[in-house]
Amino acid sequence: MSAPILRRLDALRATTRPWVRAGERIGVVPTMGALHDGHLSLVAAARAACDRVIVTIFVNPRQFNNAADLANYPRTEDEDARKLARFGVDALWVPDADQMYPAAFATTVSVAGLTDVMEGAYRPGHFDGVATVVTKLFVQTAATDAFFGEKDYQQLLVVRRLAADLDLGVTVHGCPTIRDIDGLALSSRNLLLSDRARTMAPRLHEEMEAVAQGLRAGQPFAALREAALTRLDKAGFTGTDYLDLRAQDDLAALEAPERPARLFAAAWLAGVRLIDNIAVD
Ligand code: PAF
């Protein structure tokens, strides 16, 4: 059965009030729409763990540092609602813009430290936009639990930090990245890849796996990284913003996986920026 689509805060509050009174666990899956199997895996995890499930769809202008990226972001609300129908979602929160950012809106949530590197360095203001909207979504929906993909691992850590620092009482669950059969991490932005670029895109994950394998064999990260960057260039990628080895808990830069670590990459292919990360055991 299709979930009701709520666009105004008073309707959302009227819906959640009895759930809160009954002490139910409210699981929230924040999204910007263009839902794929990665999002649906988060919805399934929320459905399994919580009494109530709210999926939010809001293309948040404050986290885009590039106007063209915001304009081109895929918007597929009807299709999204259809995809969710089989999951027993209790409500879809698709706020009108003024419900999120009324004219006088003047507050920013900013998480220090974790946001200095990678996406934070390449997309100024991005994480302030994410932290602000996620805080609002948690408060608006009366979330007790929230579900985020490890695909955006840095975002997951930022959200965990803000939920703890602001005593929001929300347990933030990280769920594994879902990949296509050829290894490409599912992302709404994959819809923007041409057919040709789509065939080339899995190369990013392949090169990351090659670096991880080299690290496991004890080879030096700097040399592995250089070789992978050269191969990506030759394969038609038009620039790699970063290919970093970092600690899994605080994102400190590492030269070897001497503690639990992940490889992180962001690279450009035919005008589309792909990001990915994998654990290095
Ligand atoms: O990961 C996303 O889709 C967005 O950053 C989020 C968490 C929905 C906030 O707008």
Side-chain angles (χ1 to χ4, degrees), residues 92-105:
L92 263 177
W93 174 227
V94 190
D96 292 338
D98 69 320
Q99 300 294 281
M100 297 307 284
Y101 302 121
F105 190 83

Side-chain angles (χ1 to χ4, degrees), residues 30-32 60 63 130 133-134 148 152 155:
T31 82
M32 296 203 297
N60 173 33
Q63 69 185 77
V130 170
V133 82
V134 167
F148 287 81
D152 295 303
Q155 168 173 279

Side-chain angles (χ1 to χ4, degrees), residues 7-252:
R7 301 184 193 276
R8 310 294 297 171
L9 267 173
D10 49 4
L12 177 64
R13 288 192 183 122
T15 301
T16 57
R17 201 170 296 125
W19 303 346
V20 173
R21 279 206 195 111
E24 293 184 323
R25 272 177 78 180
I26 302 175
V28 172
V29 181
T31 82
M32 296 203 297
L35 302 183
H36 50 65
D37 284 352
H39 295 114
L40 300 180
S41 73
L42 304 180
V43 178
R47 185 65 287 167
C50 298
D51 303 303
R52 302 287 176 175
V53 176
I54 302 177
V55 175
T56 78
I57 299 179
F58 181 66
V59 181
N60 173 33
R62 289 181 182 241
Q63 69 185 77
F64 286 80
N65 56 318
N66 174 320
D69 191 21
L70 173 60
N72 292 335
Y73 200 84
R75 289 160 172 86
T76 57
E77 187 186 311
D78 292 348
E79 172 97 23
D80 292 345
R82 262 196 302 279
K83 285 183 182 167
L84 290 169
R86 68 190 164 93
F87 286 89
V89 169
D90 295 279
L92 263 177
W93 174 227
V94 190
D96 292 338
D98 69 320
Q99 300 294 281
M100 297 307 284
Y101 302 121
F105 190 83
T107 300
T108 299
V109 179
S110 196
V111 176
L114 287 170
T115 58
D116 291 345
V117 298
M118 299 194 292
E119 293 306 288
Y122 280 89
R123 303 181 64 193
H126 168 68
F127 280 122
D128 283 1
V130 170
T132 304
V133 82
V134 167
T135 304
K136 282 181 69 86
L137 291 169
F138 284 0
V139 173
Q140 290 172 336
T141 56
T144 60
D145 296 76
F147 296 79
F148 287 81
E150 288 183 347
K151 157 79 168 49
D152 295 303
Y153 192 86
Q154 188 175 12
Q155 168 173 279
L156 170 64
L157 292 190
V158 167
V159 171
R160 280 211 174 115
R161 186 73 268 146
L162 78 83
D165 288 355
L166 300 178
D167 305 319
L168 295 181
V170 179
T171 303
V172 178
H173 304 258
C175 303
T177 302
I178 305 294
R179 299 183 180 278
D180 247 326
I181 193 122
D182 57 11
L184 179 66
L186 297 192
S187 162
S188 305
R189 283 195 174 78
N190 294 353
L191 291 176
L192 304 174
L193 291 167
S194 65
D195 288 350
R196 189 174 135 68
R198 175 63 190 80
T199 63
M200 296 154 71
R203 190 65 188 264
L204 180 62
H205 178 242
E206 281 165 31
E207 291 302 339
M208 293 173 76
E209 286 294 353
V211 173
Q213 208 175 328
L215 287 169
R216 286 181 203 116
Q219 294 169 29
F221 176 54
L224 291 165
R225 182 178 178 280
E226 266 327 293
L229 293 180
T230 306
R231 287 193 299 266
L232 283 172
D233 252 20
K234 285 206 179 114
F237 281 74
T238 50
T240 303
D241 285 349
Y242 55 81
L243 174 55
D244 287 3
L245 178 65
R246 292 186 176 272
Q248 184 157 282
D249 55 353
D250 62 5
L251 302 183

